RNA sequence: GGCCACGUGGCGGAGUGGUUACGCAGCGGAUUGCAAAUCCGUCUACGGGGGUUCGAUUCCCUCCGUGGCCUCCA
């Protein structure tokens, strides 16, 4: 079975072939770290984690490089840093803010069962590469300097708009572009902009300033996925100046990814920045657009207080990554029920191999809902179910740890045990009325019972758990 | 205004030009002292209207609805 991925560039599902057959290179746009990440931010992180795991499964763990950047220079970050750290030098202030925020992000996504990417470069550590890229673009006639800014000249690149399938005419018809006086063309976008004294800034041939948003991804992918593999400024082999997969949210298609492509392709002289462009769909909350004004802006951190990370992960993967998701409490409850069942079913399972049907489903453009259906089909084969679940990033808990994630509320375990013993005694005496009364009493405490027999002695035994 | 997605049974959610998705819930049965858990079985569907076709949920057009991008955004 071969891996097929939907490519936004061609709007079709294509057979995936890495440029280097023995090594896959993937770049995903990471978080802008100025505040807690919300559940929408979690979607690409989880989706591309599954792809990372699948690629490692297919090509081998040492044959995949997954880069997810950290955007730690941005006007929202600047504003937050100035608010929170007044009087601190700006570059230092944003570093402090972004260190903290990224730490929160890491904790969140680890709880969601996501592997650490191979590399997590920070924009502020690649400013020199950004400057070098911009210099190259200016030297090659694709960019120009104006009033302390460096700007990419969009009309210089005939292929501009290919990813978003948008012609320059369409864009001008939209007429929502910022027309600054120093722009040669309304569509030109900023590569570098000047910083005031209280804004973070770095030296450059165009004066002290900071990068535009898009250039950082061109620089970091160049530094992590192209140069270490033989490409770069000194290389004029287009294939060496290309990597395999670039991912992110669908909202990034335009302008962010379009501009990344423009910068990288024009600077490195390659017709393609990445071969495959993948974009995850958007998320709504309880049927409504998530927004701070509606009050339904929900962070990963908040959700993790009430729900196991694996419940959030499973809830995300029940839907195909390109489909819209409606994120609901009801959905999370159902996800939890299913995982409860699988944790119970795999409690005694050994290390299982991964069922081909699951890999096959995932290999069809990451069809996780299909994979979930296959998982249900493995319900009676604990080892196979466990193996497939682990491939997907589940079963990080032991069964006991998992069970303990149900809020135990104020249940007194010793008292529950006493009541259960009393009930067992009553039942043994065939006093079923008393036994049922005790069961009702426990139910009122939120405790549900599961009766069984000891497989060795045949004696009745009762286990219990707290139901919400 | 321009461009682009999506709309499947009570709910979640795949897929397909003619054949059971799957799960949750429900219902029926087995089991149980009665239940719970488990196992077996089972009902409900493809937004509206046209068209193409022997036949469309699946292709085309259109309408309605929801969402995205065009400005920061996963």
């Amino acid at each position: 079975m071969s891996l097929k991925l939907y490519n936004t560039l061609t709007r079709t599902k294509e057979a995936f072939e890495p440029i280097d057959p023995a090594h896959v290179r993937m770049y995903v746009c990471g978080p802008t770290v100025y505040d807690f990440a919300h559940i929408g931010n979690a979607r690409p992180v989880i989706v591309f984690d599954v792809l990372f795991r699948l690629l490692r499964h297919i090509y081998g763990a040492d044959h995949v490089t997954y880069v997810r950047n950290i955007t730690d220079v941005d006007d929202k970050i600047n504003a937050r840093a100035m608010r929170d750290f007044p009087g601190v030098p700006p570059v230092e202030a944003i570093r402090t803010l972004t260190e903290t925020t990224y730490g929160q992000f890491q904790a969140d996504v680890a709880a969601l069962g996501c592997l650490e990417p191979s590399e997590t470069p920070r924009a502020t550590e690649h400013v020199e590469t950004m400057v070098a890229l911009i210099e190259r673009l200016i030297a090659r006639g694709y960019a120009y300097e104006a009033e302390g800014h460096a700007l990419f000249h969009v009309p210089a690149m005939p292929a501009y708009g290919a990813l978003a399938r948008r012609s320059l005419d369409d864009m001008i018809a939209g007429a929502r572009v910022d027309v600054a006086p120093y722009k040669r063309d309304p569509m030109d976008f900023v590569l570098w902009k000047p910083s005031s004294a209280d804004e973070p800034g770095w030296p450059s041939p165009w004066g002290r300033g900071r990068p535009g948003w898009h250039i950082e991804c061109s620089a970091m992918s160049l530094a992590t996925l192209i140069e270490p593999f033989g490409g770069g400024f000194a290389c004029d082999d287009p294939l060496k100046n290309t990597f395999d997969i670039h991912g992110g949210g669908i909202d990034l298609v335009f302008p962010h990814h379009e501009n990344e492509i423009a910068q990288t392709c024009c600077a490195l002289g390659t017709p393609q920045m990445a071969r495959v462009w993948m974009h995850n769909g958007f998320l709504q909350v309880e049927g409504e657009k998530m927004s701070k004004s509606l009050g339904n802006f929900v962070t990963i951190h908040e959700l993790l207080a009430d729900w196991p990370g694996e419940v959030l992960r499973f809830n995300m993967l029940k839907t195909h990554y390109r489909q819209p998701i409606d994120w609901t409490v009801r959905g999370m409850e159902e996800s939890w029920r299913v995982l409860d069942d699988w944790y119970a079913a795999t409690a005694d399972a050994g290390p299982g191999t991964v069922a081909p049907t699951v890999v096959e489903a995932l290999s069809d453009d990451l069809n996780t809902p299909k994979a979930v259906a296959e998982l249900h089909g493995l319900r009676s084969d604990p080892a196979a179910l466990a193996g497939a679940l682990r491939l997907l990033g589940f079963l990080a808990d032991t069964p006991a740890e998992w069970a303990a994630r149900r809020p135990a509320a104020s249940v007194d375990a010793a008292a529950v045990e006493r009541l259960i013993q009393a009930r067992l005694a009553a039942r043994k005496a065939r006093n079923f009325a008393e036994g049922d009364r005790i069961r009702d009493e426990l139910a009122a405490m939120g405790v549900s019972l599961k009766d069984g027999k000891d497989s060795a002695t045949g004696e009745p035994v009762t286990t219990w758990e707290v139901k919400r």
Side-chain angles (χ1 to χ4, degrees):
Chain A
M1 83 205 79
S2 66
L3 175 59
K4 284 183 299 224
L5 297 172
Y6 182 87
N7 189 351
T8 306
L9 262 177
T10 58
R11 313 281 156 122
T12 54
K13 232 186 260 184
E14 300 171 347
F16 174 70
E17 283 177 41
I19 295 164
D20 175 350
H23 201 106
V24 182
R25 290 168 279 165
M26 172 164 78
Y27 186 96
V28 173
C29 289
T32 300
V33 283
Y34 70 101
D35 204 347
F36 283 111
H38 57 68
I39 188 63
N41 294 311
R43 193 168 190 189
V45 177
I46 293 171
V47 162
F48 291 105
D49 179 67
V50 171
L51 180 55
F52 183 38
R53 288 169 184 270
L54 177 66
L55 291 169
R56 286 160 57 103
H57 179 79
I58 295 173
Y59 293 91
D62 298 331
H63 299 270
V64 184
T65 299
Y66 169 30
V67 176
R68 186 182 63 215
N69 71 287
I70 304 165
T71 298
D72 62 350
V73 53
D74 160 274
D75 287 346
K76 281 197 291 280
I77 293 173
N78 299 344
R80 184 65 62 97
M82 280 171 77
R83 188 193 78 185
D84 293 354
F85 306 101
V88 176
V91 173
E92 201 180 303
I94 65 169
R95 184 76 191 195
T96 306
L97 170 67
T98 59
E99 282 287 348
T100 308
T101 309
Y102 186 63
Q104 292 163 345
F105 176 82
Q106 273 185 305
D108 286 347
V109 300
L112 296 174
C114 296
L115 300 173
E116 184 78 354
S118 318
E119 290 187 58
T120 53
R122 289 169 157 270
T124 51
E125 289 172 358
H126 290 272
V127 175
E128 280 179 27
T129 308
M130 298 184 215
V131 169
L133 266 170
I134 297 169
E135 286 184 303
R136 170 66 79 92
L137 288 169
I138 292 175
R140 292 195 167 180
Y142 292 106
Y144 57 96
E145 180 192 358
E147 297 182 26
H149 296 72
L151 293 132
F152 187 92
H153 190 47
V154 169
M157 185 198 189
Y160 188 83
L163 179 70
R165 301 246 169 138
R166 210 174 281 215
S167 71
L168 281 178
D169 289 346
D170 288 342
M171 292 183 259
I172 289 159
R176 290 174 74 172
V177 286
D178 176 28
V179 186
Y182 47 81
K183 281 189 181 180
R184 287 186 194 165
D185 184 277
M187 287 308 300
D188 292 354
F189 60 89
V190 170
L191 300 167
W192 188 266
K193 52 191 170 187
S195 291
S196 64
D198 57 356
E199 286 170 331
W202 291 263
S204 84
W206 319 286
R208 181 178 176 277
R210 59 196 196 280
W213 175 37
H214 317 297
I215 195 71
E216 63 172 74
C217 289
S218 289
M220 288 185 273
S221 60
L222 170 63
T224 59
L225 292 179
I226 291 178
E227 284 176 338
F229 295 85
F233 291 122
C235 171
D236 55 9
D237 177 354
L239 205 55
K240 282 200 182 311
N241 287 332
T242 304
F243 56 93
D244 296 305
I245 300 171
H246 191 128
I250 187 127
D251 57 319
L252 297 182
V253 172
F254 193 90
H256 185 55
H257 289 164
E258 196 71 60
N259 291 354
E260 281 184 41
I261 290 171
Q263 294 158 350
T264 296
C265 291
C266 292
L268 299 182
T270 173
Q272 282 192 324
M273 177 183 182
R275 275 196 169 174
V276 183
W277 289 79
M278 296 177 68
H279 295 96
N280 62 272
F282 250 55
L283 175 150
Q284 285 183 273
V285 171
E286 303 289 352
E288 287 185 310
K289 179 177 176 167
M290 182 165 62
S291 75
K292 283 180 174 160
S293 59
L294 282 170
N296 61 354
F297 196 88
V298 47
T299 65
I300 304 169
H301 189 74
E302 289 164 347
L303 286 171
L304 286 171
D306 296 327
W307 306 89
E310 289 190 13
V311 167
L312 307 184
R313 181 181 181 90
F314 184 70
N315 202 236
M316 200 69 87
L317 296 178
K318 280 198 305 192
T319 303
H320 183 83
Y321 76 94
R322 286 191 279 120
Q323 291 291 109
I325 287 190
D326 187 15
W327 191 269
T328 63
V329 168
R330 184 172 177 163
M332 287 187 283
E333 283 168 348
E334 185 184 315
S335 295
W336 200 336
R337 250 193 305 272
V338 171
L339 285 176
D340 273 346
D341 182 51
W342 285 344
Y343 260 99
T346 57
D348 306 316
T353 55
V354 178
T357 51
V358 173
V359 177
E360 205 171 319
L362 294 176
S363 296
D364 182 14
D365 191 34
L366 237 49
N367 193 338
T368 52
K370 183 74 162 31
V372 168
E374 300 296 345
L375 250 26
H376 285 295
L378 298 173
R379 179 64 174 70
S380 56
D381 183 348
L385 178 59
L389 281 168
R390 290 202 181 91
L391 172 72
L392 284 162
F394 294 98
L395 297 188
D397 281 350
T398 63
E401 287 166 344
W402 180 258
R405 289 184 182 277
R406 287 281 178 191
S410 52
V411 174
D412 178 346
V416 170
E417 285 298 337
R418 271 198 306 278
L419 286 164
I420 286 174
Q421 289 312 315
R423 174 168 171 268
L424 283 170
R427 289 177 68 212
K428 196 166 186 179
R430 301 198 65 81
N431 184 354
F432 296 118
E434 172 63 6
D436 292 352
R437 189 198 62 73
I438 295 172
R439 184 170 65 203
D440 291 344
E441 185 182 336
L442 283 164
M445 294 162 61
V447 173
S448 69
L449 303 181
K450 201 186 287 187
D451 288 337
K453 278 183 181 170
D454 186 295
S455 54
T457 64
E459 283 295 301
V461 286
T462 298
T463 57
W464 61 281
E465 62 182 356
V466 177
K467 287 283 185 197
R468 304 195 324 149

